Amino acid sequence: MIKKIFFIITISLEITMAQNIDLAQNLYSNYEIYRENKLTHRRFKHADIVPLINEVKRRGIFSVEKAGRSVEGRDIYLLSIGHGKSKVFLWSQMHGDEATATMALFDVFNFFQANDGLHDIKKTILDNLTIYFMPMVNPDGAEDYKRRTNYEIDINRDVNRQQTPEGVVLRKTFERLKADFGFNLHDQSTRYAVGNTSKSAALAFLAPSLDHEKSIDSVRENSMKLICELYGMLNHFIPGHIAKYRDDYEPRAFGDNFQKWGTSTVLVESGIWKDDVDGQFIRKLNFMSFITSFYSIATKSYKHESAKTYDQIPENEERFFDLILRNLSYTKNGAKIIVDLGINRNEINYNDAKQFYYSSSVEDMGDLSVFHGFEDFDLNGYELFHGKTYPKEFGSLNEIEKLDFPKLYQEGYTSVIFKSKNKNKPFTHLPINIKLKSERVSNSNQKLLGTKPNFVIKKDGLVHYVVVNGFMIGVKSPFGKVSNALIQ
Ligand SMILES: [Zn+2]
């Protein structure tokens, strides 16, 4: 008899898990139905989401209210749906330059408004939950695509002092709702790998700590269990690409305090997927994570997870560079050394933060064998030289555009001179850097670390590759593209 009961319980558990995977697979395959097509990149502004929120309001499925205002007078909205007993609260973009999850929240709004055959799933969710959404908590930061608010304060260090109106809105809403579950939505560094593997961290989760001792009470345990379920689900789609965020207690942060004050809080950090510059694939994973979480909380399926699995999720490790050049021979002060170079392409805001350009730098060098490159080249047997500046001065950009770039690369040039006084733009889309005045440099004393990566890579005296502003291009057999070079 005992055996039989055990058998029945095991079967029902498996059905629940399988249902969640089926739901996730359905969302994955049919994502295009839900994607909010008006949001296509990370640099959208408050003015871009207001009409979308008004449209959600007009359709009448969600309740929409203004929860407060930012320093610069932008409305912070609270949307809600459902009539269930358990409350779930999601808030995004308290850091203005962390926009991935905000896009996914608009996909979630479309999900609940779509005619897609998932009626039963939605009914289960909405009968059991009331879900609240606060997209873009920091609209002023989003305007300038920066982390902090107009007051230059990080909202996520303002939960106690309450000096930012945005932080006040978030805390007041939290206190009013006293939600059962909270989702704290951020973007993390794009340099993280999952533990000591060579896989990039697409998403990282955390059940924030309650105290410095990292105690576990039933509130935190529930967020750990939900994370374990999400971890299992996501591993079907992006095996090995899910990490755990570091769990040091931060007494000034919202997530840690919300957890302490009784809301099972899940920190979701959107990371990096190769060649997904605008985070659109990670956005889709966020969307799947939110809907499957709602279903899990509604059906309480997360309760079947063991919180012990949480300990097995590997932590984020800062192990990625955009480009690694390995085993290059380099002559410094007459000595020949072998170096690896770790190069990052850093985004710089441009045109009121509506666009960006890359300014790259050599951020580490030496033995980089424990690091990984999104582009990774073993250049054993090749020699590294600094790129040279072509001596002729050009009078117009037109002349520069018409240059034979492969020929300049073969001769070792990665920059040309443009005789112009006004620097109206710091970059061009040409595959060569532009200097506004000539300069004399001696190759042997030049630094590598911290400098802009403009290099020529030779074998047997012939140029095989060049690096222009951190972008690698094949010269002997062409490959690669310079997204932008710099004007300096
Ligand atoms: Zn953040």
Side-chain angles (χ1 to χ4, degrees):
M1 192 61 193
I2 289 167
K3 260 188 186 165
K4 205 171 181 183
I5 290 170
F6 179 74
F7 178 73
I8 291 164
I9 291 170
T10 313
I11 290 288
S12 78
L13 252 177
E14 280 176 359
I15 288 170
T16 318
M17 304 266 239
Q19 275 173 345
N20 287 353
I21 295 294
D22 284 353
L23 172 59
Q25 183 62 56
N26 195 320
L27 299 171
Y28 188 88
S29 307
N30 298 318
Y31 173 66
E32 289 308 316
I33 303 174
Y34 310 114
R35 178 203 291 275
E36 175 47 67
N37 287 322
K38 296 218 167 64
L39 301 175
T40 56
H41 59 81
R42 294 165 296 157
R43 286 167 185 267
F44 57 88
K45 312 282 187 199
H46 185 258
D48 297 311
I49 65 165
V50 171
L52 300 178
I53 291 173
N54 287 337
E55 176 60 18
V56 172
K57 189 176 180 181
R58 196 191 62 75
R59 294 178 72 171
I61 298 176
F62 284 78
S63 298
V64 179
E65 64 175 279
K66 289 176 184 175
R69 284 191 144 185
S70 70
V71 172
E72 292 170 16
R74 298 187 175 91
D75 291 320
I76 300 168
Y77 292 90
L78 184 70
L79 295 84
S80 62
I81 192 167
H83 42 267
K85 214 170 122 254
S86 299
K87 289 181 185 168
V88 180
F89 178 30
L90 301 90
W91 62 95
S92 75
Q93 218 172 339
M94 68 160 84
H95 295 137
D97 56 353
E98 300 178 8
T100 308
T102 303
M103 295 186 277
L105 292 184
F106 282 90
D107 302 336
V108 169
F109 303 154
N110 289 343
F111 169 80
F112 283 109
Q113 298 173 114
N115 259 329
D116 55 1
L118 293 179
H119 176 262
D120 292 349
I121 301 272
K122 289 177 200 174
K123 188 172 180 331
T124 303
I125 293 173
L126 299 177
D127 284 349
N128 288 284
L129 308 181
T130 308
I131 315 170
Y132 299 85
F133 304 87
M134 188 176 279
M136 198 186 271
V137 175
N138 180 5
D140 299 351
E143 197 67 19
D144 296 335
Y145 206 67
K146 64 180 185 195
R147 179 179 177 90
R148 296 179 179 229
T149 69
N150 171 287
Y151 287 171
E152 300 177 85
I153 289 175
D154 181 342
I155 296 178
N156 210 20
R157 301 292 178 266
D158 194 38
V159 71
N160 297 316
R161 196 168 279 187
Q162 292 278 280
Q163 293 303 297
T164 58
E166 301 86 351
V168 170
V169 171
L170 182 56
R171 180 161 167 181
K172 279 222 166 94
T173 307
F174 169 83
E175 284 169 354
R176 194 180 100 202
L177 301 180
K178 291 195 168 44
D180 299 278
F181 274 89
F183 289 79
N184 187 9
L185 308 175
H186 292 255
D187 286 3
Q188 68 174 11
S189 162
T190 56
R191 314 291 178 211
Y192 286 133
V194 175
N196 58 10
T197 74
S198 59
K199 292 194 167 175
S200 63
L203 285 169
F205 293 96
L206 177 75
S209 296
L210 309 159
D211 49 31
H212 290 293
E213 292 70 38
K214 302 177 185 176
S215 325
I216 302 172
D217 64 359
S218 60
V219 173
R220 185 168 181 228
E221 190 177 28
N222 281 341
S223 48
M224 286 173 158
K225 286 182 170 182
L226 184 61
I227 289 170
C228 293
E229 192 175 10
L230 288 171
Y231 181 65
M233 180 276 286
L234 288 163
N235 259 322
H236 278 78
F237 300 92
I238 48 163
H241 283 277
I242 308 119
K244 190 162 60 190
Y245 201 79
R246 64 178 149 64
D247 64 353
D248 298 335
Y249 176 59
E250 172 47 81
R252 302 167 300 166
F254 275 85
D256 306 52
N257 283 285
F258 285 4
Q259 184 94 282
K260 193 165 69 186
W261 297 335
T263 292
S264 295
T265 304
V266 174
L267 171 74
V268 183
E269 292 275 356
S270 291
I272 183 80
W273 194 255
K274 193 177 185 302
D275 299 329
D276 183 25
V277 177
D278 268 307
Q280 297 301 303
F281 181 60
I282 310 277
R283 161 193 183 172
K284 175 175 171 174
L285 300 171
N286 269 267
F287 164 76
M288 290 164 58
S289 301
F290 302 156
I291 304 292
T292 52
S293 292
F294 300 155
Y295 192 60
S296 171
I297 299 167
T299 59
K300 298 194 165 35
S301 68
Y302 69 90
K303 289 204 179 263
H304 303 312
E305 298 284 334
S306 158
K308 284 195 184 115
T309 315
Y310 183 80
D311 295 331
Q312 291 157 19
I313 305 175
E315 287 202 14
N316 273 327
E317 298 271 354
E318 198 164 1
R319 289 289 164 88
F320 265 95
F321 289 96
D322 288 320
L323 172 66
I324 295 189
L325 308 176
R326 298 185 192 275
N327 299 310
L328 278 161
S329 163
Y330 179 64
T331 305
K332 180 78 177 182
N333 297 334
K336 237 178 197 175
I337 56 172
I338 298 293
V339 289
D340 304 335
L341 301 183
I343 292 166
N344 280 334
R345 299 168 191 145
N346 300 307
E347 286 184 18
I348 312 288
N349 286 337
Y350 176 69
N351 186 20
D352 295 330
K354 289 189 198 91
Q355 292 165 285
F356 69 92
Y357 65 92
Y358 292 107
S359 176
S360 302
S361 110
V362 178
E363 298 197 342
D364 201 354
M365 62 181 285
D367 176 357
L368 302 185
S369 54
V370 301
F371 294 98
H372 319 287
F374 288 109
E375 291 170 43
D376 207 310
F377 295 91
D378 185 357
L379 295 162
N380 189 10
Y382 290 83
E383 207 171 346
L384 179 75
F385 298 89
H386 291 274
K388 297 184 295 183
T389 302
Y390 191 68
K392 186 186 161 187
E393 298 188 355
F394 296 96
S396 77
L397 274 179
N398 228 330
E399 273 179 86
I400 298 174
E401 270 167 29
K402 287 181 191 141
L403 290 171
D404 182 351
F405 298 113
K407 188 158 180 290
L408 288 172
Y409 297 152
Q410 278 160 16
E411 292 166 9
Y413 299 112
T414 55
S415 300
V416 295
I417 304 165
F418 176 34
K419 242 184 351 188
S420 163
K421 282 202 181 67
N422 39 4
K423 177 184 169 187
N424 20 10
K425 215 177 168 187
F427 68 98
T428 73
H429 291 293
L430 296 174
I432 201 147
N433 294 298
I434 293 176
K435 292 192 170 169
L436 296 176
K437 58 178 193 300
S438 55
E439 56 186 29
R440 294 176 77 192
V441 283
S442 104
N443 210 33
S444 66
N445 288 328
Q446 271 180 279
K447 285 192 163 181
L448 283 175
L449 191 61
T451 62
K452 304 215 176 304
N454 297 302
F455 302 125
V456 172
I457 297 165
K458 293 184 183 178
K459 193 177 197 175
D460 303 325
L462 287 177
V463 174
H464 284 242
Y465 310 100
V466 292
V467 176
V468 176
N469 188 31
F471 293 93
M472 177 94 157
I473 309 171
V475 177
K476 275 217 102 188
S477 40
F479 70 86
K481 183 181 176 292
V482 178
S483 290
N484 70 267
L486 299 176
I487 303 178
Q488 288 168 317

